[in-house]
């Protein structure tokens, strides 16, 4: 089709507002995916994603649609639905001219809705409001339309009422995509520039790159050059996504497609990088490229020391597919050999851990996540520290800076008080509060990222009966009065339990942590002291009394199946223990610091 008949769009929504369901319906109605090959939610195709009901990796699909006898080509570019991946969201938005803004008509605007809309507006996208779930008895599309107008300032007079689930309003949406979203600009004569909005590693073909041709054109066999990574390749295969890969010989400005070029790692073809022709290079790259910066770090240690080489192999393989994952070897006397790994955020961290265990059959101990501190040392140097146990001693450091985030929480007004308490408890600095409607408010705080790592989101949900939502973004580093809290178990320092806390909280954290560890560490045949220290000063101390009886004696005379169960439980418990000196420390103990009351 001519470029004037191409539309590139994405769907933005708060989690659960119906993005995937709508995408499925669009694919179905355009005949892109037949009913019988339709697995539920075609676009979320990673197991993990499906289980969690979230979209992690974006993908694309090309649809054909005829309106008034004109054939159109509609490219849907899916965006990940989590703040950890907001950079990827912004790159996929940059590959589009328009966006469907899906809002659940029974819920209204949520924090993620706002964050995504801002990204879309920054990228100058034409936004089509879609009020979804109108089949629900509690749906109030007109009220929600007004809410969107008030909060976002978006004209909702022609918002589309839709039920993705029931298939209502889908044709109207397709028509609106064609009539309201502009076609790409025709720059097919310019030197080629294409924006990478996704890439993944295929063990047989190497990296598959998803891109949007912004200028010029690309042919099969072309020698191409990646501006940010500085690598060049031959495009062995190019094609479109319909939504399965289909080879073509050429792609023009405005089109969306994939290429494979025997690229060995996604680090060479990063999201946001610009592809150009090796022989006829574009003068400048497309705007917006950023290196992925890990925001949280944790230690990963195999329970069984023999699994160290397998862990390294697994991390290397995952990295081929995940340019944001960072890792380096870490050893500690308590834990043995492992890796210090860096992640974009907490979800990213969980995903990697889970994949390592599921896909590579590793049993790991994960230490509590830490943010990256900046330490200004006496010798004038500034070092980055992402491992609390390696924080320079007080005599060597002048000051410590920690990353701060701006967080926006949307909540029904009755919970404003509890969220303000939460903000306060987490060293938050109140910035502003606005009523976005009569009943809902937006609260903005600046707070240390370290205070969000852990149970902040759970707290937000539990203190508002699940009604509040939030988004955050990094704002910068700030000096704080921080100290390092170390833990000794049975007289031995356990480095992975070290944590960096604000001075005012150190005593309370020390007390709560030692108490919690006492609950979590199984009793042994001898008494175990558990201590929290700052430097050489013990600030809290507990002691775990000895146990003499075997676990089985509990059901002495009991029936055999109960005994078996207990033994099994004990064995499962063992899997997740790390022997630290003579003491077995369970996985939960390493995370205890995140969940102190
Ligand atoms: P996403 O997180 O934005 O991708 O949302 P999903 O498409 O996964 O939908 C979240 C939930 O809402 C699922 O249980 C869907 O079945 C349901 N859902 C989606 N659209 C509709 C709709 O139009 N009506 C109703 N009643 N439920 C819907
Ligand atoms: Mg989804």
């Amino acid at each position: 089709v001519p470029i004037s008949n191409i539309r590139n769009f994405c769907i933005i929504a708060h989690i659960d507002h119906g993005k995937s369901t709508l995408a499925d319906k669009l694919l179905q109605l355009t005949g892109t995916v037949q009913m019988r090959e339709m697995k539920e939610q075609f676009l979320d195709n990673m197991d993990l994603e499906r289980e969690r009901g979230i979209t992690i990796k974006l993908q694309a699909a090309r649809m054909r649609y005829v309106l008034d006898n004109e054939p159109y080509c509609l490219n849907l570019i899916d965006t990940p639905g989590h703040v950890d991946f907001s950079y990827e969201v912004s790159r996929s938005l940059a590959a589009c001219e328009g966006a469907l803004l899906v809002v659940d008509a029974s819920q209204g605007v949520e924090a993620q809705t706002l964050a995504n809309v801002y990204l879309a507006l920054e990228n100058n996208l034409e936004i089509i409001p879609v009020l979804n779930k109108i089949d629900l008895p509690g749906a109030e599309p007109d009220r929600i339309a007004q809410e969107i107008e008030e909060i976002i300032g978006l004209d909702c007079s022609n918002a589309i009422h839709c039920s993705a689930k029931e298939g209502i309003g889908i044709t109207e949406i397709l028509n609106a995509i064609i009539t309201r979203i502009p076609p790409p600009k025709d720059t097919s004569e310019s030197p080629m520039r294409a924006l990478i909005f996704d890439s993944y590693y295929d063990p047989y073909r190497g990296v598959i790159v998803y891109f949007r041709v912004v200028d010029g054109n690309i042919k099969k066999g072309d020698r191409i050059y990646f501006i940010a990574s500085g690598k060049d390749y031959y495009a062995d295969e190019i094609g479109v996504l319909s939504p399965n890969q289909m080879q073509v010989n050429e792609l023009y400005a405005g089109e969306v497609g994939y290429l494979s070029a025997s690229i060995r790692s996604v680090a060479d073809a990063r999201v946001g990088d610009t592809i150009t022709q090796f022989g006829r290079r574009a003068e400048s790259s497309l705007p917006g490229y950023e290196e992925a910066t890990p925001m949280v770090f944790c230690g990963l240690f195999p329970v069984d020391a023999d699994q160290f080489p397998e862990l390294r192999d697994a991390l290397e393989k995952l990295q081929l597919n995940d340019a944001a994952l960072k890792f380096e070897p870490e050893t500690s006397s308590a834990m043995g050999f492992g890796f210090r790994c860096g992640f974009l955020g907490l979800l990213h961290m969980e995903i990697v851990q889970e994949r390592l265990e599921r896909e590579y059959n590793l049993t790991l101990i994960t230490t509590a996540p830490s943010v990256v501190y900046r330490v200004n040392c006496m010798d004038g140097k500034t070092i980055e520290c992402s491992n609390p146990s390696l924080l320079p001693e007080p005599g060597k450091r002048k000051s410590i800076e920690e990353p701060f985030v701006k967080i926006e929480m949307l909540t029904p007004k009755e919970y404003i008080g509890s969220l303000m308490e939460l903000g306060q408890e987490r060293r938050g600095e109140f910035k502003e509060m606005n009523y976005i409607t009569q009943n809902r408010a937006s609260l903005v705080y600046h707070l240390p990222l370290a205070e969000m790592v852990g149970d902040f989101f759970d707290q937000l949900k539990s203190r508002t009966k699940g009604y509040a939502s939030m988004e955050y973004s990094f704002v910068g580093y700030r000096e704080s009065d921080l100290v390092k809290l170390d833990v000794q178990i049975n007289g031995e320092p356990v480095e992975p339990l070290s944590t960096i806390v604000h001075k005012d909280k150190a005593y309370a954290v020390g007390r709560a942590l030692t108490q919690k560890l006492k609950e979590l560490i199984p009793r042994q045949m001898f008494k175990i002291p558990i201590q929290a220290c700052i430097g050489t000063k013990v600030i809290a101390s507990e002691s775990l009394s000895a146990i003499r009886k075997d676990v089985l004696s509990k059901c002495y005379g009991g029936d055999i199946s109960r005994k078996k169960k207990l033994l099994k439980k004990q064995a499962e418990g063992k899997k997740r223990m790390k022997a630290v000196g003579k003491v077995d420390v369970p996985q939960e103990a390493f995370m205890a610091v995140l969940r102190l009351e």
Side-chain angles (χ1 to χ4, degrees):
V1 304
I3 190 166
S4 56
N5 287 14
I6 296 176
R7 300 292 182 272
N8 296 317
F9 73 103
C10 56
I11 307 177
I12 55 183
H14 188 73
I15 189 96
D16 278 345
H17 282 202
K19 187 177 83 172
S20 302
T21 312
L22 176 59
D24 284 351
K25 279 292 181 322
L26 294 173
L27 293 179
Q28 253 171 282
L29 198 93
T30 53
T32 312
V33 179
Q34 299 303 322
M35 265 310 245
R36 67 191 139 74
E37 38 172 327
M38 192 88 188
K39 279 186 244 138
E40 205 187 323
Q41 302 195 344
F42 192 88
L43 285 173
D44 299 351
N45 63 3
M46 231 166 93
D47 281 356
L48 247 153
E49 295 182 18
R50 192 161 300 162
E51 268 166 39
R52 286 158 187 261
I54 47 166
T55 312
I56 298 163
K57 268 287 186 187
L58 39 137
Q59 299 238 293
R62 190 182 69 162
M63 297 175 259
R64 300 233 168 249
Y65 187 67
V66 177
L67 180 67
D68 300 331
N69 291 323
E70 271 292 309
Y72 288 90
C73 167
L74 314 179
N75 291 306
L76 164 61
I77 293 172
D78 196 20
T79 57
H82 192 276
V83 48
D84 281 8
F85 304 98
S86 65
Y87 173 65
E88 288 184 25
V89 176
S90 81
R91 293 307 81 207
S92 51
L93 295 182
C96 299
E97 278 76 31
L100 301 175
L101 170 66
V102 175
V103 181
D104 183 333
S106 68
Q107 302 284 331
V109 171
E110 293 292 351
Q112 244 180 42
T113 320
L114 283 179
N116 283 322
V117 167
Y118 296 144
L119 285 176
L121 291 171
E122 275 169 32
N123 284 288
N124 296 318
L125 301 195
E126 176 69 33
I127 298 174
I128 302 175
V130 173
L131 303 160
N132 190 30
K133 306 201 187 182
I134 53 160
D135 59 294
L136 289 178
E140 296 177 87
D142 294 328
R143 189 177 67 78
I144 302 300
Q146 207 185 335
E147 193 176 299
I148 298 174
E149 290 203 343
E150 277 168 24
I151 302 173
I152 305 171
L154 200 68
D155 176 14
C156 280
S157 54
N158 48 7
I160 299 169
H161 293 208
C162 145
S163 164
K165 194 171 165 194
E166 308 286 332
I168 301 166
I170 311 298
T171 317
E172 285 87 332
I173 291 175
L174 286 166
N175 294 350
I177 291 170
I178 290 168
T179 53
R180 285 156 66 178
I181 297 176
K185 285 203 185 71
D186 187 355
T187 51
S188 46
E189 300 307 318
S190 312
M192 200 269 280
R193 287 198 300 180
L195 174 67
I196 301 179
F197 61 82
D198 197 8
S199 62
Y200 72 92
Y201 179 76
D202 176 317
Y204 301 103
R205 301 150 71 204
V207 175
I208 307 294
V209 180
Y210 289 149
F211 60 92
R212 145 87 194 256
V213 186
V214 176
D215 304 318
N217 62 54
I218 175 171
K219 281 198 270 305
K220 181 183 159 97
D222 277 353
R223 187 169 183 192
I224 51 176
Y225 178 72
F226 294 78
I227 296 181
S229 74
K231 305 273 164 112
D232 66 280
Y233 296 94
Y234 288 94
D236 305 326
E237 180 182 328
I238 65 172
V240 294
L241 303 144
S242 61
N244 298 316
Q245 295 173 2
M246 205 175 79
Q247 293 197 38
V248 300
N249 286 320
E250 195 162 7
L251 286 166
Y252 299 89
E255 290 193 293
V256 172
Y258 75 93
L259 69 83
S260 111
S262 311
I263 303 168
R264 301 254 315 277
S265 159
V266 290
D268 295 344
R270 291 208 178 174
V271 169
D273 198 352
T274 303
I275 312 171
T276 186
Q277 300 282 0
F278 188 81
R280 191 189 171 207
R281 286 188 204 182
E283 274 171 19
S284 60
S285 52
L286 294 161
Y289 177 75
E290 277 171 31
E291 292 280 332
T293 2
M295 299 295 282
V296 295
F297 283 77
C298 76
L300 291 180
F301 295 89
V303 168
D304 178 354
D306 293 345
Q307 282 195 329
F308 176 77
E310 290 162 51
L311 175 57
R312 186 187 49 220
D313 288 352
L315 283 168
E316 278 168 5
K317 286 207 182 99
L318 283 185
Q319 200 176 42
L320 290 177
N321 212 351
D322 183 350
L325 171 65
K326 298 268 164 31
F327 63 92
E328 57 182 45
E330 176 183 1
T331 33
S332 93
S333 57
M335 305 294 281
F337 292 96
F339 290 94
R340 191 89 197 152
C341 305
F343 309 92
L344 294 174
L346 289 175
L347 179 72
H348 185 214
M349 180 174 97
E350 260 183 69
I351 291 167
V352 171
Q353 287 164 4
E354 238 175 285
R355 294 190 64 181
L356 287 170
E357 304 213 331
R358 279 197 209 187
E359 295 168 30
Y360 297 92
N361 254 319
L362 297 163
T363 310
L364 303 171
I365 293 283
T366 310
T367 67
S370 162
V371 302
V372 183
Y373 295 92
R374 274 195 197 148
V375 186
N376 301 310
C377 301
M378 289 299 185
D379 61 7
K381 287 199 186 105
T382 298
I383 60 164
E384 296 209 324
C385 173
S386 59
N387 186 345
S389 70
L390 299 180
L391 189 74
E393 293 310 314
K396 296 212 169 114
R397 61 180 198 241
K398 252 196 303 242
S399 61
I400 308 176
E401 294 169 45
E402 62 178 334
F404 270 68
V405 291
K406 171 184 170 209
I407 142 167
E408 176 161 23
M409 303 180 273
L410 296 196
T411 178
K413 67 177 177 202
E414 58 265 42
Y415 304 115
I416 292 174
S418 359
L419 288 187
M420 285 187 148
E421 264 170 39
L422 179 61
Q424 211 65 39
E425 286 166 25
R426 302 303 169 101
R427 299 194 278 135
E429 182 186 311
F430 174 78
K431 284 291 170 192
E432 59 178 316
M433 181 178 91
N434 294 302
Y435 276 88
I436 57 174
T437 65
Q438 254 174 15
N439 298 313
R440 289 205 315 146
S442 143
L443 281 169
V444 178
Y445 276 83
H446 282 186
L447 56 80
L449 177 61
E451 297 281 346
M452 264 196 50
V453 166
D455 68 344
F456 190 91
F457 186 69
D458 295 346
Q459 286 291 332
L460 172 105
K461 285 290 178 190
S462 76
R463 292 181 192 204
T464 61
K465 299 204 169 76
Y467 282 113
S469 59
M470 61 168 267
E471 274 291 326
Y472 68 91
S473 56
F474 176 67
V475 286
Y477 272 82
R478 262 203 232 167
E479 189 175 323
S480 295
D481 200 355
L482 302 170
V483 294
K484 178 169 68 131
L485 193 70
D486 295 313
V487 173
Q488 296 203 356
I489 296 178
N490 205 24
E492 288 195 48
V494 186
E495 297 97 338
L497 288 175
S498 294
T499 174
I500 292 172
V501 292
H502 194 269
K503 205 166 151 217
D504 297 346
K505 284 186 166 188
Y507 279 82
V509 169
R511 253 189 322 269
L513 182 59
T514 46
Q515 276 163 17
K516 191 96 179 210
L517 289 172
K518 182 182 170 185
E519 282 166 32
L520 292 171
I521 294 172
R523 292 159 74 195
Q524 324 252 337
M525 308 298 250
F526 46 90
K527 191 173 137 189
I528 304 169
I530 301 171
Q531 296 165 316
C533 325
I534 296 176
T536 51
K537 188 170 158 209
V538 176
I539 60 160
S541 146
E542 291 282 338
S543 121
L544 190 59
S545 56
I547 182 179
R548 293 194 184 280
K549 289 178 193 126
D550 185 85
V551 57
L552 285 184
S553 61
K554 260 196 222 155
C555 50
Y556 182 69
D559 73 286
I560 188 78
S561 73
R562 170 127 192 267
K563 274 185 194 171
K564 270 192 189 147
K565 247 189 218 153
L566 266 171
L567 279 174
K568 186 159 171 271
K569 224 171 147 189
Q570 206 181 25
E572 277 169 3
K574 270 227 178 70
K575 281 202 308 203
R576 295 282 177 164
M577 299 261 194
K578 193 80 191 172
V580 174
K582 288 192 291 181
V583 182
D584 285 336
V585 181
Q587 167 68 72
E588 299 77 57
F590 293 100
M591 292 295 168
V593 69
L594 299 181
R595 288 167 197 283
L596 301 173
E597 270 81 62

